[in-house]
Amino acid sequence: MNPTESSTPTLKRRMACWLYEGMLLFGVVFIAGYLFGTLSQTRNAMDNRHGLQAFLFLVFGIYFVWFWSKGQTLAMKTWHIRVVNLEGQALTQQRALLRYVLSWVWILPPLAVIWPLGLTGGETSVLFLGWVAVWAVLSRFQRDGQFWHDVWAGTRLVNSLPMSR
């Protein structure tokens, strides 16, 4: 692996990639939601919403495990970021699955607070965005600048050189 490829991307680039990934996931949610609604004959969005949430959790899992075991999602390719194990090799599907489960730390803590308190949309947004900012900044306290869920999963985000033509 090239020394440039082994360095950690900047927090700014990783967060830009994170936002872009969210935009791409909108399409995944749309198609998966349409498929779920059609197959389950759900007529109202609030009917069977827990089933839809479980289905989306599985769809996201398949999406991320598949692409991370190949090294990159589309957003990661765009921002020239790869995910590798600690030896710099591609992730196994088991390691990618572990990373997927641990990456829910971006979402679950604010959800755990929002649900019992019954917060409004604005309060939910502030809490969620605040947690994302805190979680992202916590990577600064990790020796290699990696996100903590990557440390726990035994994975790393590294720079990936663009392919020359």
Side-chain angles (χ1 to χ4, degrees):
M1 183 183 303
N2 181 319
T4 306
E5 289 182 316
S6 66
S7 63
T8 302
T10 65
L11 182 58
K12 183 178 176 180
R13 271 187 51 225
R14 288 181 287 158
M15 293 310 294
C17 181
W18 187 84
L19 286 172
Y20 185 41
E21 195 76 67
M23 292 183 344
L24 295 175
L25 284 177
F26 180 79
V28 172
V29 167
F30 179 80
I31 292 169
Y34 178 76
L35 179 63
F36 180 84
T38 301
L39 294 175
S40 67
Q41 295 296 305
T42 301
R43 304 263 186 254
N44 183 323
M46 296 308 283
D47 292 343
N48 206 7
R49 76 170 190 241
H50 297 299
L52 175 59
Q53 290 168 346
F55 183 70
L56 288 174
F57 179 80
L58 290 173
V59 168
F60 288 165
I62 292 166
Y63 171 87
F64 284 115
V65 169
W66 173 265
F67 282 109
W68 287 340
S69 65
K70 304 293 181 208
Q72 297 172 297
T73 63
L74 180 59
M76 294 168 81
K77 285 181 184 181
T78 302
W79 286 94
H80 306 295
I81 297 172
R82 290 187 74 72
V83 61
V84 296
N85 65 17
L86 296 178
E87 292 79 37
Q89 304 300 315
L91 302 185
T92 62
Q93 287 192 339
Q94 291 81 10
R95 175 104 29 208
L97 179 61
L98 177 61
R99 184 177 195 262
Y100 172 69
V101 170
L102 291 172
S103 71
W104 277 88
V105 77
W106 285 95
I107 307 293
L108 290 179
L111 286 180
V113 172
I114 292 164
W115 181 65
L117 296 180
L119 301 179
T120 66
E123 294 166 334
T124 297
S125 297
V126 168
L127 180 64
F128 178 74
L129 293 174
W131 173 250
V132 166
V134 165
W135 187 250
V137 169
L138 284 174
S139 69
R140 300 283 201 171
F141 297 102
Q142 202 282 324
R143 185 179 49 122
D144 293 329
Q146 296 291 324
F147 293 126
W148 283 99
H149 64 278
D150 280 310
V151 173
W152 300 331
T155 60
R156 301 190 61 209
L157 292 176
V158 296
N159 288 307
S160 173
L161 298 177
M163 304 247 323
S164 57
R165 295 183 181 190

